[in-house]
Amino acid sequence: MCRQVFWRVMSTINPSICSSNFLRIQSPAKINLHLEVLGLRTDGFHELAMVMQSIDLADTLEITTNKSGQIKLSVDNPELSSGNDNLIVKAARLLRNHVKRKDLGAIIHLRKKIPIGAGLAGGSSNGAATLLGLNSLWDLALTQDQLEHLAAELGSDMPFCLEGGTQLCFGRGEKLEPLNISFTPMALILVKDPSISVSTPWAYGRYKEIYSGNYLEGEFEFERRRQKLRGENWLRVLSAAQPPPLKNDLQQVVAPEISAVQNALKLLSELPGSLGVAMSGSGPSCFALFSSYSKANDALEKSKKKLSSFGLESWCCSFQSHGVIFEL
Ligand code: C5P
């Protein structure tokens, strides 16, 4: 859904939702169809050129608001912190501080489906869902741009998760250019070894150690690379009319260190009907693309046992045209 339509829908449904102090929000994962490290920025982050895609593997947040001045989080997955380091709590506090309303409180429950530490922006999506939900329930009326600005303070992927769909993402990931592709038949098989997670700072640090000699320098060179990515015919790619030009620079440093990623990429590339395989974000989750959900599902039925014998959990998912969204 494009930005304008999304906000029209939100403003239409908000009044009915705001009459209550309870909301349920879907918080979807993303994959990277393209992740290119261009160079280093003066703030120490990497300058990126990416294409991010929302998928229908989603967590659910249940939010009840009150005037207790307290933010309380519970999570149905014991591996995940429900304390001040969770992006949900950070997002709620940041929003409350921004509007200078110490009285605002919330009780939030997270139902986790997206694997943790997987390169799927699960945490960032949860933070984005919190901003969207509390903006509505606390009746703050912040604009999309204001929410994106707050989201960028908490994580490079969080602004994308607010609107989602298919977007070009530049800067450190927060400069968004929606591709306005409202429907794509494409689907994927996603796999991850549940015993492994990858630290994003480690992956970027390792990339810098090995490849900083090749970094581009200066805005002129960065912009040339952005133009090249804008010039790809993403509409044809996402209607499965031409093979997707998948790329993930971080894969070059993560795969050699983690055998589960090597196994995943090899097994996925052998699946019948697979259009291309790649790692997502800083990994370790990997995916294979298919031209339709039924093709992906058939391939998964035939391969699930083998993937599992290599210790890989697997999901069949579809591309999705939106990010975090109220559940009606
Ligand atoms: O913003 P986010 O929390 O995703 O970043 C985590 C870490 O990943 C950063 O502290 C940084 O080490 C690295 N990173 C980077 N360049 C980016 C995004 C992340 O170097 N564009």
Side-chain angles (χ1 to χ4, degrees):
M1 199 184 310
C2 76
R3 174 183 296 228
Q4 290 79 2
V5 175
F6 178 77
W7 283 98
R8 210 173 315 126
V9 172
M10 295 333 309
S11 55
T12 317
I13 62 176
N14 265 352
S16 60
I17 287 168
C18 287
S19 61
S20 143
N21 66 338
F22 175 79
L23 261 179
R24 195 174 278 124
I25 303 184
Q26 272 184 35
S27 168
K30 63 84 188 158
I31 56 168
N32 295 84
L33 300 176
H34 187 101
L35 191 166
E36 196 177 350
V37 179
L38 303 186
L40 208 53
R41 297 153 51 96
T42 48
D43 62 6
F45 279 76
H46 284 86
E47 182 71 27
L48 304 176
M50 301 191 284
V51 180
M52 301 235 251
Q53 173 66 55
S54 301
I55 61 172
D56 65 354
L57 178 65
D59 297 335
T60 306
L61 270 77
E62 292 166 349
I63 307 181
T64 309
T65 48
N66 54 44
K67 292 278 172 70
S68 68
Q70 293 185 342
I71 309 292
K72 289 187 182 163
L73 173 65
S74 56
V75 183
D76 69 357
N77 182 338
E79 286 171 39
L80 194 62
S81 160
S82 55
N84 290 345
D85 53 337
N86 190 301
L87 280 171
I88 293 175
V89 178
K90 286 187 179 178
R93 288 181 187 278
L94 181 69
L95 187 60
R96 200 176 53 175
N97 289 346
H98 180 79
V99 296
K100 300 185 175 62
R101 289 275 309 275
K102 283 189 179 156
D103 60 310
L104 296 173
I107 300 168
I108 305 174
H109 181 64
L110 171 64
R111 296 181 197 280
K112 199 80 196 152
K113 273 200 192 161
I114 305 171
I116 302 163
L120 299 169
S124 292
S125 178
N126 295 168
T130 306
L131 291 177
L132 184 76
L134 291 179
N135 185 41
S136 172
L137 287 171
W138 284 342
D139 217 359
L140 304 177
L142 266 61
T143 63
Q144 161 101 348
D145 281 348
Q146 287 173 305
L147 291 182
E148 275 181 14
H149 198 77
L150 289 176
E153 286 186 35
L154 294 170
S156 305
D157 290 343
M158 208 184 279
F160 166 81
C161 294
L162 272 173
E163 194 181 354
T166 314
Q167 302 210 40
L168 299 166
C169 308
F170 300 123
R172 61 183 176 90
E174 86 292 7
K175 287 188 188 140
L176 306 177
E177 296 183 15
L179 283 165
N180 289 335
I181 294 166
S182 59
F183 173 77
T184 161
M186 290 191 85
L188 62 147
I189 294 177
L190 183 70
V191 298
K192 181 185 179 277
D193 182 330
S195 66
I196 292 169
S197 60
V198 173
S199 147
T200 305
W202 171 82
Y204 279 102
R206 187 90 184 105
Y207 191 87
K208 189 171 143 193
E209 267 170 38
I210 302 177
Y211 295 107
S212 60
N214 302 338
Y215 282 0
L216 300 177
E217 277 179 27
E219 184 51 27
F220 179 76
E221 290 191 33
F222 293 160
E223 186 54 25
R224 242 193 359 208
R225 217 41 96 77
R226 291 183 202 121
Q227 276 303 101
K228 189 162 179 283
L229 196 59
R230 290 182 187 112
E232 291 276 0
N233 191 340
W234 291 103
L235 195 58
R236 265 182 73 75
V237 169
L238 295 172
S239 59
Q242 74 183 48
L246 298 175
K247 179 182 176 72
N248 184 341
D249 281 345
L250 296 179
Q251 195 176 308
Q252 297 169 50
V253 294
V254 176
E257 304 268 344
I258 299 180
S259 59
V261 171
Q262 293 161 32
N263 289 337
L265 292 168
K266 181 167 184 301
L267 292 166
L268 290 172
S269 63
E270 289 166 358
L271 295 180
S274 156
L275 299 174
V277 305
M279 190 179 81
S280 181
S282 53
S285 60
C286 295
F287 61 89
L289 294 186
F290 294 81
S291 57
S292 70
Y293 185 84
S294 64
K295 284 190 181 148
N297 205 29
D298 285 352
L300 184 55
E301 272 181 21
K302 289 181 190 125
S303 61
K304 203 164 180 92
K305 269 197 188 144
K306 189 167 182 190
L307 292 168
S308 157
S309 74
F310 279 82
L312 296 167
E313 272 185 351
S314 54
W315 298 262
C316 187
C317 309
S318 294
F319 283 19
Q320 190 164 267
S321 59
H322 59 79
V324 297
I325 193 164
F326 299 119
E327 229 176 63
L328 296 176

